[in-house]
Amino acid sequence: MKLTPLTNRLAQPGRASMELDPLLLWPALGLLLFGLVMVYSASIAIAEAGKSTGYAATYYLMRHGVFLTVGLVAGVVVFQIPVRLWQRLAPWLFVIGVLLLALVLIPHVGRSVNGAQRWIPLMVVNLQPSELMKLFVVLYAADYTTRKLDDMDSFRHGFVPMATVMMLVGGLLLREPDFGAFVVIICIAMGILFLGGINARLFSILFAVLLVAFAFLILTSPYRRERLFGFMDPWQDAFGKGYQLSHALIAFGRGEWMGVGLGASVEKLFYLPEAHTDFLLAVVAEELGAVGVIAVIVLFALVVQRSFAIGRQALALERVYGGLAAQGIGIWLGVQSFINMGVNMGLLPTKGLTLPMMSFGGSGILANCIALAILLRVDWENRQMMRGRKV
């Protein structure tokens, strides 16, 4: 039986669509669409408050809908790109990401909001380079580890080059400042190095050094220190440093098991800051209760579990880059969603990180959709290879 080349199979969209992993595709689409509904619910009040500047109640809904459409279209296009091409492009994409992180810090180029300079205005939208950098770091770290598999036991050849570029990226992120993105990116790089077989003793030392570094960054920064103290006892200064967390906890308390009903949240009425971005889960908890929160957690758990399963399968097929990239995407989505949920529930100090695939934000939605498309592509190529071996 003559096997059809992968490049020819791309011309068979019907066949490809039947071979997509339903346990990854449907939970991911569910989170994206559920996010659209909750962004609308959480943003109605803030949108109506901007009517004097031309906003309407559906302002954020329409923008998020456009972002989601662009992201899904980009995902369909990205799915057509072979994984080997992403490996070839990974170093260049990483360089582009570093340049964008530097560009956002230039006065009158980067846009500052609430004391953070993280956005580049592009007429009708704002580009957030740190969101794209998370994707670029996944692709680059997977490529780096694949190339350095034989040097993973070497401090000089295996660890130092990656540590150097991560320090560069971390320095740029802390200048914005964007401590949350810094933590996520470090977790991605560390996770991929660990999965790639870095020396256990070296990894342990590195982990200890990072913990000390994080503690130093927190204790030497007044606003980070205040957030930490506010997290430890938000009710001590509920109108000051504990304001965000106290209102998030009130939202969770009001929701109880079944919630107060979709659209009936009180906390989103200018009590809970960033209700449609960083604290979207608190609105879910208030309106849909513990049942809604558990549903979100289960959907994220499915996406992360499938990411690692697809990665393991690729590694078993000796597709090292695809396997590490898939697991890197799982680390990214898992770590960021865990931090966001932990912040919303009062388990972690307040940090400005959105909920992947759900929170309002064009750059984040675009990066998430592209990452999911790459993940689906890795799985699709796994299936083609397994079918070829069976034949």
Side-chain angles (χ1 to χ4, degrees):
M1 179 178 179
K2 185 177 180 181
L3 296 180
T4 306
L6 290 180
T7 50
N8 291 339
R9 293 186 188 225
L10 285 175
Q12 303 176 27
R15 185 171 190 168
S17 64
M18 294 184 343
E19 295 178 349
L20 298 179
D21 184 353
L23 291 178
L24 171 63
L25 179 63
W26 294 115
L29 288 176
L31 286 169
L32 289 168
L33 296 177
F34 186 38
L36 180 66
V37 173
M38 293 312 303
V39 163
Y40 178 44
S41 177
S43 65
I44 292 176
I46 189 174
E48 288 184 332
K51 282 185 177 180
S52 59
T53 57
Y55 290 7
T58 58
Y59 175 78
Y60 290 99
L61 170 66
M62 298 302 294
R63 287 179 67 86
H64 194 72
V66 170
F67 296 152
L68 184 55
T69 301
V70 171
L72 291 174
V73 171
V76 172
V77 173
V78 165
F79 179 78
Q80 312 303 317
I81 302 174
V83 174
R84 65 178 180 274
L85 182 56
W86 286 110
Q87 184 176 7
R88 201 175 306 154
L89 294 174
W92 300 104
L93 292 173
F94 184 80
V95 170
I96 291 172
V98 171
L99 292 176
L100 288 173
L101 288 179
L103 186 64
V104 79
L105 296 174
I106 299 176
H108 308 298
V109 175
R111 181 187 175 193
S112 180
V113 177
N114 296 328
Q117 192 161 325
R118 304 175 185 173
W119 298 267
I120 299 176
L122 299 176
M123 293 187 292
V124 295
V125 296
N126 294 314
L127 175 67
Q128 189 171 356
S130 61
E131 291 294 336
L132 298 179
M133 196 64 193
K134 295 169 188 173
L135 173 62
F136 297 160
V137 166
V138 168
L139 299 176
Y140 175 75
D143 173 57
Y144 174 87
T145 305
T146 302
R147 288 186 284 108
K148 297 279 189 176
L149 281 177
D150 295 333
D151 296 319
M152 282 292 102
D153 286 334
S154 170
F155 176 79
R156 179 180 177 184
H157 300 290
F159 168 70
V160 171
M162 175 60 79
T164 302
V165 295
M166 287 301 106
M167 286 175 61
L168 172 62
V169 172
L172 292 171
L173 288 170
L174 292 175
R175 287 289 304 276
E176 295 185 7
D178 194 343
F179 187 71
F182 171 63
V183 171
V184 172
I185 284 175
I186 292 299
C187 287
I188 292 170
M190 287 275 294
I192 292 178
L193 285 176
F194 177 77
L195 295 169
I198 192 171
N199 181 276
R201 180 172 175 271
L202 180 60
F203 183 84
S204 300
I205 295 173
L206 173 61
F207 186 75
V209 170
L210 284 174
L211 287 179
V212 173
F214 285 148
F216 176 78
L217 288 171
I218 292 171
L219 295 176
T220 57
S221 173
Y223 86 93
R224 292 192 190 108
R225 194 167 59 245
E226 286 186 5
R227 283 188 169 185
L228 178 61
F229 293 151
F231 156 74
M232 295 172 67
D233 187 3
W235 307 108
Q236 185 180 16
D237 187 10
F239 295 98
K241 54 180 177 285
Y243 181 81
Q244 292 174 305
L245 178 54
S246 62
H247 280 280
L249 294 176
I250 291 171
F252 272 84
R254 291 194 74 242
E256 298 183 348
W257 282 102
M258 302 302 295
V260 297
L262 184 62
S265 168
V266 171
E267 285 298 315
K268 70 184 181 184
L269 304 177
F270 307 105
Y271 294 104
L272 187 64
E274 309 298 337
H276 59 306
T277 55
D278 299 352
F279 286 93
L280 186 68
L281 188 68
V283 178
V284 173
E286 186 178 3
E287 296 189 347
L288 303 178
V291 172
V293 174
I294 291 171
V296 171
I297 293 173
V298 169
L299 291 175
F300 270 109
L302 282 172
V303 171
V304 173
Q305 187 275 330
R306 291 309 303 159
S307 300
F308 279 90
I310 290 168
R312 285 194 303 270
Q313 187 179 57
L315 292 173
L317 294 169
E318 299 180 354
R319 302 180 60 241
V320 178
Y321 177 77
L324 292 176
Q327 293 182 336
I329 291 170
I331 292 171
W332 165 21
L333 298 178
V335 168
Q336 184 166 335
S337 59
F338 175 79
I339 293 175
N340 178 274
M341 292 176 186
V343 167
N344 276 256
M345 297 179 187
L347 302 176
L348 294 172
T350 304
K351 194 72 239 112
L353 273 178
T354 57
L355 189 59
M357 295 183 278
M358 291 188 65
S359 292
F360 177 81
S363 301
I365 289 294
L366 178 61
N368 294 159
C369 288
I370 292 175
L372 290 170
I374 294 173
L375 190 56
L376 287 166
R377 176 71 194 201
V378 173
D379 177 62
W380 187 82
E381 291 186 9
N382 287 348
R383 293 166 187 258
Q384 306 312 305
M385 182 170 288
M386 291 177 67
R387 175 179 294 173
R389 287 187 175 186
K390 289 178 181 178
V391 174

